[in-house]
Amino acid sequence: MTTTLIGQPVTRVDGHAKVTGAAKYTAEISLPGMRHAVIAGSEIPAGRITGIDKSRAMAEPGVLAVLTHEDLPKVATQPVLTLSLAGTVAHGQSFFPMQDPVIHYAGQPVAIVVGETLDAATRGAELLDVTYERTESITVIDEGRDRSYVPEKILAGLAPGEMGRGDVAAGLAAAELTVEATFTFSANHQNPLEMSASVASWDDGQLTLWDATHGPTATQMTVASLLGIPASRIRVITRFVGGSFGAKAMIWAHPTLAAMTAQIMHRPIKLALTREQMFTGCGLREDNEQTITLGAAADGRLTAIRHEKLSITSAYDDWAEPALSGSGELYACDNFAAVYHLIKGNTMTPTFMRGPGETAGLAVLECAMDELAERAGLDPVELRVRNHADVDPVSGRPWSSKGLKECYERGAELIGWGDRDPRPGMRRDGDWLIGMGMATAIYPVYPLMNPQRARARLYADGTAVIQTAASDIGTGAATVLTQIAAEGLGLPLEMVRVEYGDTSLPFLAASVGSTGSTAGGNAVHLAATGLREQLVAQAVQDEGSPLHGADPELVDVVDGVMVGPSGSESYGEMLGRNFVPETEYLGTYQHRVDDEHALLNFGAQFAEVAVDAALGVVRVRRMAGVFAPGRVLNQKTARSQLMGGMIWGLSQALLEASHMDPRFGRWANPSLGDYLVPVNADVPEVMVETVEVDDPFINPLGIKGIGEIGMVGMAGAIANAVYNATGRRVRSFPITIESLL
Amino acid sequence: MDGPLEKIERGPEPAKLSLSVNGATLVAEVEPRASLLDTLRETLDLTGTKKGCNQGACGACTVWVDGRRVVSCLTLAVACEGREVTTIEGLVEHPMQEAFLSCDALQCGYCTPGQIMSAVKLLEEGHAGNDAEIAEWMSGNLCRCAAYPHIRQAIREVRDGEHQ
Ligand code: FES
Ligand code: FES
């Protein structure tokens, strides 16, 4: 390698388009003759439609059509919940709406209104008269507590409903200290700022679909299976995505509904969800209750961990966020048991939301560890170091890399942990009680299941294009792929452009579960280095080249110039001489399953909070996060990702809650005015650092991912800081003023 | 907005409307009920202004009308006749855009045009004295990617003349 572009704080390559307004997001695509479609959702959570009177809607000027379950074609295959990690078919739930009059959840699409304008379609949907027969519904845990069951599998069959090792009863019997506590978590909705949207256009049996998605190929394969047409007849394009946080990871009904409507109307159709529909159209993080029991010896060493979760899932899928596995992986403990309990209710199938599982599960484990530290008379950091897992407690294998102790140490330094008084309620600043807390962060390193591909193409003018299908949801993927490509090819950054977010490009799964840079990065690395080797090989065989006969191993490439021991020429000169306008190489990255090492991502998080002693208002004053996410590809965009994750943790701890009104079975606060997310004034300065760990086992570039690790420990650290400030163990999230009065 | 409005007797059908946007006079057929936001995005193809809620809660749709920041989702297009509308497309190489880029004050970029339109006005209004003031006066613009500390940094840097 001649340059070290990887890791540099390069400015976002798509940033200029974003700050000038030139960036086009899905709902901003306009096509000639295009019309607008608006979904009308069910007003009841359970029952059936008894009648739909279209007359008032159709009388509205500009309304072109009202489509109901009687007008829509039947889907070609019944969807079955499938996770989006593979970038292939990814049904968000085992249900497709508008096939019959049955209602499973409020907001379920019951009709599509098509209008000349967005206003006409919207007004038409408001005027639609739908009558229902409502049946009994279950929308909150208390309504179904007595009907809970233990699923055989969760997560579309990928994880067991129960797991464990050792003998928890014996571990607890042997314990000198125990902590047992029950926590509750409000339902959360991802609410990316860009609402989901699809634009569908048919041309001679070919469907072009613009869709706001992590993985265009996932949309392509999912829509193909529902419409019953070959994938080769569908092209999906996703240029810019205005955030997702899981809302756009699975493929929900709207792209297929847009395609069906466009087919019926013989016109391109734009279908955008409203903000309210973002609460009923893209899954959710389910509200849940968790109970944890820790047993420990007097010195704080864990002897047993039991962790259970109860939550509501849909009528047709066993979904639970995998909140419990982290408790089995984080600390050295021989005895561990975890059980998921589910209740079938009237909700759509819950889904991924940033830090799926760990976000809630670790808050529980880490709050319990804080209590245990107090019981044991130990500093919370010291307790964690004593229980440090030197090898993976699940498999017994060594870690591919860890770095956690360094994260604790550096994080404690950044926040000034030494100033913390272990006795709660001791520090004051005027009316404010001051406290500090910390927690560990871990996040799985998900294996990539299938070959990931990228194409590198070099033109005779010396510029290069990198092509790969997955989209950039705001993570900075396009930027790091440009860096990796430029470094691999030996070109300056400005000579390399990435094309992405299009199924006509080589397959790349989707940026989900913090796998985006691993998949894209390694594929692009192989494409770029492969093309460079191909070009050098060509040069040393070319009699017209000054490099002719040189040992390819001794050829370096600097700024597009191949430099050999006895001569040099640029890529462009060689291609031009041979009348080759462009040349390509397809890189394929197949994740190698390493059965000798355990893979996990680590970090440590610290918070200082101030709690108004009289009013219970909590303000986070400082946050520090130190992470060991393997190789960092871009210091600037990585910092933003980790910082964003930490602020998401603040939000989970103190703000975000979707409130269900069980009388109506509907969300009571489906708007950005009522569903609280942090505003600028809620957010303090955030200290973020990474600890460099060299991980030669995980993948060629040594990447673990940074999308979620920033979030997952934060809520626990904040709750523990609130305890340190006030002496109150609040066990329901978000922590509200009411819970501190 | 202040100032008298002409009595408008148009609609409910689409009617001709003449708008001055970024210094150009644009004529569009829009329904009188159409918001300025939808008119910009759906009719005039000026899609730099974003829709995050359509309810006045997120600030993604912030534009200037007669030099003042407004949420365009709660502003009727017809009410802007005779006024000067400025959108992100009307900002050309403004130091604030440059500062947002260099500070990485964005991720997905969806809130960014609204943030920048607010940030520029905030400086003019004299509300950028310190970080607490910036945070308070920028709190009408949500950033779900949570780039807030970097947004404050960008505004500070422009205030201090670091991006000319
Ligand atoms: S779209 Fe106007 S404030 Fe959200
Ligand atoms: S950059 Fe994504 S919402 Fe602000």
Side-chain angles (χ1 to χ4, degrees), chain A residues 104-130:
Chain A
H104 295 286
Y105 57 94
Q108 174 186 322
V110 296
I112 292 169
V113 180
V114 184
E116 292 282 351
T117 63
L118 179 56
D119 279 296
T122 304
R123 184 69 188 130
E126 285 163 10
L127 291 172
L128 195 64
D129 293 303
V130 185

Side-chain angles (χ1 to χ4, degrees), chain A residues 425-606:
Chain A
M426 297 307 288
R427 284 180 63 200
R428 249 193 128 100
D429 175 6
D431 290 339
W432 298 88
L433 296 164
I434 311 297
M436 274 192 211
M438 60 82 57
T440 314
I442 54 169
Y443 192 73
V445 178
Y446 288 112
L448 296 160
M449 304 174 195
N450 43 17
Q452 306 290 315
R453 299 191 296 143
R455 182 188 296 124
R457 178 188 299 148
L458 189 93
Y459 291 93
D461 65 5
T463 63
V465 167
I466 300 294
Q467 298 179 318
T468 196
S471 55
D472 181 341
I473 53 172
T475 57
T479 310
V480 299
L481 297 186
T482 308
Q483 290 171 261
I484 292 168
E487 177 148 333
L489 281 162
L491 286 176
L493 271 181
E494 350 31 285
M495 304 280 271
V496 180
R497 193 170 66 81
V498 244
E499 288 177 359
Y500 54 98
D502 189 333
T503 54
S504 55
L505 307 178
F507 174 83
L508 189 73
S511 42
V512 290
S514 289
T515 61
S517 341
T518 303
N522 286 296
V524 167
H525 172 70
L526 293 175
T529 52
L531 180 55
R532 167 206 181 109
E533 277 166 27
Q534 181 177 299
L535 287 158
V536 169
Q538 195 181 336
V540 299
Q541 282 166 21
D542 180 351
E543 288 182 3
S545 171
L547 289 114
H548 182 247
D551 176 356
E553 294 290 316
L554 300 178
V555 177
D556 199 2
V557 184
V558 184
D559 287 348
V561 178
M562 297 174 280
V563 184
S566 53
S568 64
E569 75 170 332
S570 70
Y571 288 147
E573 283 165 335
M574 181 186 71
L575 293 180
R577 184 176 56 251
N578 290 293
F579 303 103
V580 178
E582 45 101 332
T583 184
E584 304 184 330
Y585 186 86
L586 187 65
T588 301
Y589 170 61
Q590 175 72 62
H591 182 74
R592 189 181 59 89
V593 180
D594 177 342
D595 16 73
E596 280 159 33
H597 294 92
L599 316 177
L600 199 62
N601 209 337
F602 299 93
Q605 297 181 276
F606 295 77

Side-chain angles (χ1 to χ4, degrees), chain B residues 134-148:
Chain B
I134 294 173
E136 203 57 43
W137 286 86
M138 284 301 289
S139 279
N141 289 84
L142 297 183
C143 176
R144 187 57 163 154
C145 299
Y148 297 123

